[in-house]
Amino acid sequence: MKDIKILPKEFFLKRNVIEIAKDLLGKIVVTQLDGGYTSARIVETEAYDGATDKACHAFPNKLTRRTEVMFKEGGRSYVYLCYGIHHLFNIVTHEEGSAKAVLIRAVEPVKGIELMKARRKVENLRQLTNGPGKVAQALGISTLYNDETLYEENGLIYIGSEIDNVNFEINISTRIGVDYAEEDAMLPWRFYIKDNPYISKK
DNA sequence: CAGAGGATCCTCT
DNA sequence: GAGGATCCTCTGA
């Protein structure tokens, strides 16, 4: 088992959300929820920017009850219900007052795989976490865990890096499922680990 | 307070 | 590849 070092709060601040979305690739999400420990390697992310990006719920810097958490200081969760069924897990970035976040679209299961299978009611490893709704379900993340800080030891959810992180190539594409965002649907703000079997789509 | 629509997933064809 | 599930959020009156 590799050691995991928790990312400090600073990781989520004072940098462009694009850079953070890229840097989150290869990092480890740990959850300690519902009496179980699960961890998974992030293999696919998307950046959202409430100031300029029509695909973002907080565009154009629109403050509502739902988007409120995105305006808070980075390093916390933004979880919302999509299509009435799926809980989607995002990581808020930047300083207080700017509404930006990174959607975790796919992960590679590391620990607690049996628990993930039970939560997903799926046996096939590749089907376990290769999509944003699946990620949240497998890790036990729901809107109950909106606005949780992500950088605390023994937190419910935290993000860590492996000591001996392997190298990988990053692929870039347009984001999935945001056709309604007109020209912003063309932004190359989706990032994923090349050839990783757990990404949601080619 | 009604109506519309969605950062998805699963099933069936 | 198409369509349905399902419910919360936001809008406008």
Side-chain angles (χ1 to χ4, degrees), chain A residues 29-33 36-40 111-113 115-116 119 138-140:
Chain A
V29 187
V30 177
T31 66
Q32 304 176 98
L33 307 168
Y37 179 103
T38 52
S39 69
K111 295 189 69 178
I113 291 177
L115 178 54
M116 294 191 209
R119 283 170 171 159
L139 296 177

Side-chain angles (χ1 to χ4, degrees), chain A residues 42-76:
Chain A
I42 298 171
V43 300
E44 178 179 339
T45 62
E46 284 178 356
Y48 288 85
D49 182 343
T52 63
D53 168 20
K54 289 179 183 170
C56 184
H57 295 149
F59 175 84
N61 281 330
K62 184 172 62 180
L63 177 63
T64 66
R65 201 163 67 236
R66 181 170 66 159
T67 64
E68 182 183 14
V69 64
M70 270 196 276
F71 287 88
K72 296 189 181 183
E73 184 179 52
R76 67 189 68 229

Side-chain angles (χ1 to χ4, degrees), chain A residues 87-143:
Chain A
H87 300 258
L88 269 57
F89 172 54
N90 297 253
I91 296 174
V92 176
T93 69
H94 290 66
E95 306 294 335
E96 184 173 358
S98 94
K100 306 181 202 297
V102 176
L103 171 66
I104 307 302
R105 283 195 55 88
V107 300
E108 175 181 336
V110 176
K111 295 189 69 178
I113 291 177
E114 290 310 310
L115 178 54
M116 294 191 209
K117 286 180 177 176
R119 283 170 171 159
R120 289 269 301 122
K121 301 185 181 12
V122 162
E123 282 298 314
N124 185 322
L125 256 189
R126 292 205 183 186
Q127 302 296 318
L128 216 45
T129 53
N130 61 337
K134 302 177 187 179
V135 169
Q137 188 179 29
L139 296 177
I141 298 173
S142 71
T143 51

Side-chain angles (χ1 to χ4, degrees), chain A residues 157-175:
Chain A
I157 307 171
Y158 60 83
I159 313 296
S161 60
E162 290 173 325
I163 302 304
D164 54 344
N165 205 351
V166 284
N167 288 327
F168 49 81
E169 247 182 277
I170 295 177
N171 276 12
I172 302 176
S173 79
T174 55
R175 294 170 294 179

Side-chain angles (χ1 to χ4, degrees), chain A residues 183-195:
Chain A
E183 71 272 18
D184 292 336
M186 302 306 294
L187 292 170
W189 283 6
R190 172 174 176 249
F191 309 96
Y192 58 96
I193 295 180
K194 184 183 179 187
D195 297 330

